[in-house]
Amino acid sequence: MKNEITAKRLQNALSDKNMKPQELADKSGVSKASISQYVNGSHAPSNISSDKMAKVLNVNPLWLMGFDVPMEPSLSPKESSDDTPLKTLSDFVNSHPDSIGYLAILCKNERIERDYTEKSIAQKCNITLREYLDFENSCKNIGITKIGSILLFFDFNITFILGYLVGATGSQNEMVEIMVSQASEKDKDNMKYIASQMVKMDSEELNYLVELLKHDLPENETNTQKFTKAMYDFHKTQHKDEA
C-alpha cells in the first residue's frame, strides 16, 4: 500500500515537472535504479531519498512518502501553520506522553496479526531494529516521523489515530476539536457528528473501528468519507448483533 501510494505520487510529480527519472537522478543524487524501483512500486524510498527527490520536485517529502499532507512543500517553521495530521499527532503525543504506549500496543498487535517480525518492519519503515524495539517494547518516542512511517505501513489513518488516542487516553473533551480540525470546511459538520459518536465508544468498539478503517479505500477518498463508511459498517454490525 505504502509503495503504491509513493509510486503514484512520484509519477505524478515527475509528470507535473515534465521530468524524466534520469534527470531526477542527476539533480537529486538518488540513483536512477533506485528511482525506477520507487516509480514501479517495488520499493519505498528512505527518508533521506524522499527529502532529496522532494527538493528537486518541489513537493512535500511527507506527501511523497504517502502521508495525508498537502503536496506543496512545507514552509519554514516560522511561516508554516503546521496544520497537518502528522503535526497534530506530534503535538498530542508531546502533551500526552502515555499515548505512545497505546500506539505501541496497536502496532504490536497489528504486526503479530500480519505475522511480521520486528526486523522486517524496521527494514520496511527505514528505521533501525533498535528503534523499532524501543518503540514497541519500551514505548519510547522515537520521533513522530518514524512512528508515522510505522502507522502508514500498517495503513492506519493518522486522523483516525488521533481520535483513537483521544478516546484511549481519556481526553474525550478534545475529541471533537481535533477531529473537526482535520476535516475540510464542507465536511466539518459530518466529522463533528462522527467524533461525537466516537466519544461514546469503549476501547473494544474503538479497536473494532480501527479494523474497519484499515480496509483499502480509494486514495481520493477524504478522511470524512472514510470515517463515514466505517461508522456505517460499525452501526450496521451493531444492529445485526442486537437483532
Side-chain angles (χ1 to χ4, degrees), residues 27-56:
K27 292 182 176 180
S28 67
V30 179
S31 71
K32 183 182 178 182
S34 294
I35 291 175
S36 295
Q37 292 177 328
Y38 306 151
V39 169
N40 65 33
S42 60
H43 288 79
S46 66
N47 295 345
I48 295 175
S49 293
S50 295
D51 284 337
K52 290 180 177 179
M53 293 188 295
K55 287 178 181 177
V56 175

Side-chain angles (χ1 to χ4, degrees), residues 60-89:
N60 188 329
L62 293 176
W63 174 84
L64 196 59
M65 293 171 68
F67 288 106
D68 185 14
V69 298
M71 176 181 180
E72 295 74 20
S74 299
L75 300 173
S76 66
K78 291 184 179 180
E79 298 172 312
S80 174
S81 65
D82 287 324
D83 186 21
T84 66
L86 197 63
K87 177 59 170 60
T88 306
L89 177 60

Side-chain angles (χ1 to χ4, degrees), residues 157 159-161 179 191 194 198 209 213 217 222-232:
N157 179 291
T159 303
F160 174 75
I161 289 298
M179 300 295 289
M191 186 60 89
I194 291 169
M198 290 176 65
L209 196 58
L213 280 162
L217 291 170
T222 66
N223 279 323
T224 305
Q225 288 172 322
K226 293 176 182 178
F227 276 69
T228 301
K229 183 180 185 303
M231 290 295 288
Y232 172 78

Side-chain angles (χ1 to χ4, degrees), residues 132-152:
Y132 185 81
L133 291 175
D134 283 345
F135 167 65
E136 184 179 292
N137 297 332
S138 303
C139 302
K140 181 179 179 180
N141 187 346
I142 59 174
I144 202 61
T145 300
K146 293 175 181 178
I147 292 175
S149 296
I150 298 170
L151 295 172
L152 183 64

Side-chain angles (χ1 to χ4, degrees), residues 40-232:
N40 65 33
S42 60
H43 288 79
S46 66
N47 295 345
I48 295 175
S49 293
S50 295
D51 284 337
K52 290 180 177 179
M53 293 188 295
K55 287 178 181 177
V56 175
L57 295 168
N58 193 31
V59 298
N60 188 329
L62 293 176
W63 174 84
L64 196 59
M65 293 171 68
F67 288 106
D68 185 14
V69 298
M71 176 181 180
E72 295 74 20
S74 299
L75 300 173
S76 66
K78 291 184 179 180
E79 298 172 312
S80 174
S81 65
D82 287 324
D83 186 21
T84 66
L86 197 63
K87 177 59 170 60
T88 306
L89 177 60
S90 177
D91 291 343
F92 187 86
V93 167
N94 289 335
S95 60
H96 300 80
D98 57 330
S99 63
I100 292 292
Y102 292 100
L103 289 176
I105 292 171
L106 202 61
C107 291
K108 180 177 183 178
N109 290 341
E110 187 68 13
R111 178 183 63 77
I112 293 173
E113 181 180 330
R114 297 195 187 191
D115 198 26
Y116 282 117
T117 64
E118 294 92 334
K119 183 177 181 180
S120 66
I121 297 297
Q123 290 175 337
K124 291 176 184 296
C125 295
N126 298 304
I127 61 178
T128 67
L129 176 58
R130 171 48 54 193
E131 287 174 322
Y132 185 81
L133 291 175
D134 283 345
F135 167 65
E136 184 179 292
N137 297 332
S138 303
C139 302
K140 181 179 179 180
N141 187 346
I142 59 174
I144 202 61
T145 300
K146 293 175 181 178
I147 292 175
S149 296
I150 298 170
L151 295 172
L152 183 64
F153 173 77
F154 287 128
D155 299 330
F156 286 129
N157 179 291
I158 291 183
T159 303
F160 174 75
I161 289 298
L162 286 166
Y164 175 82
L165 289 178
V166 169
T169 57
S171 307
Q172 294 185 348
N173 59 331
E174 300 176 46
M175 169 72 83
V176 175
E177 181 181 349
I178 288 179
M179 300 295 289
V180 173
S181 71
Q182 304 304 318
S184 64
E185 195 61 40
K186 65 182 180 65
D187 287 337
K188 287 190 183 296
D189 286 342
N190 288 339
M191 186 60 89
K192 186 174 182 179
Y193 169 75
I194 291 169
S196 69
Q197 295 301 301
M198 290 176 65
V199 168
K200 303 173 185 177
M201 295 182 183
D202 57 29
S203 59
E204 183 177 341
E205 291 171 330
L206 283 169
N207 283 326
Y208 181 67
L209 196 58
V210 168
E211 294 298 319
L212 293 176
L213 280 162
K214 285 181 339 192
H215 296 324
D216 289 340
L217 291 170
E219 187 182 351
N220 60 359
E221 291 272 7
T222 66
N223 279 323
T224 305
Q225 288 172 322
K226 293 176 182 178
F227 276 69
T228 301
K229 183 180 185 303
M231 290 295 288
Y232 172 78

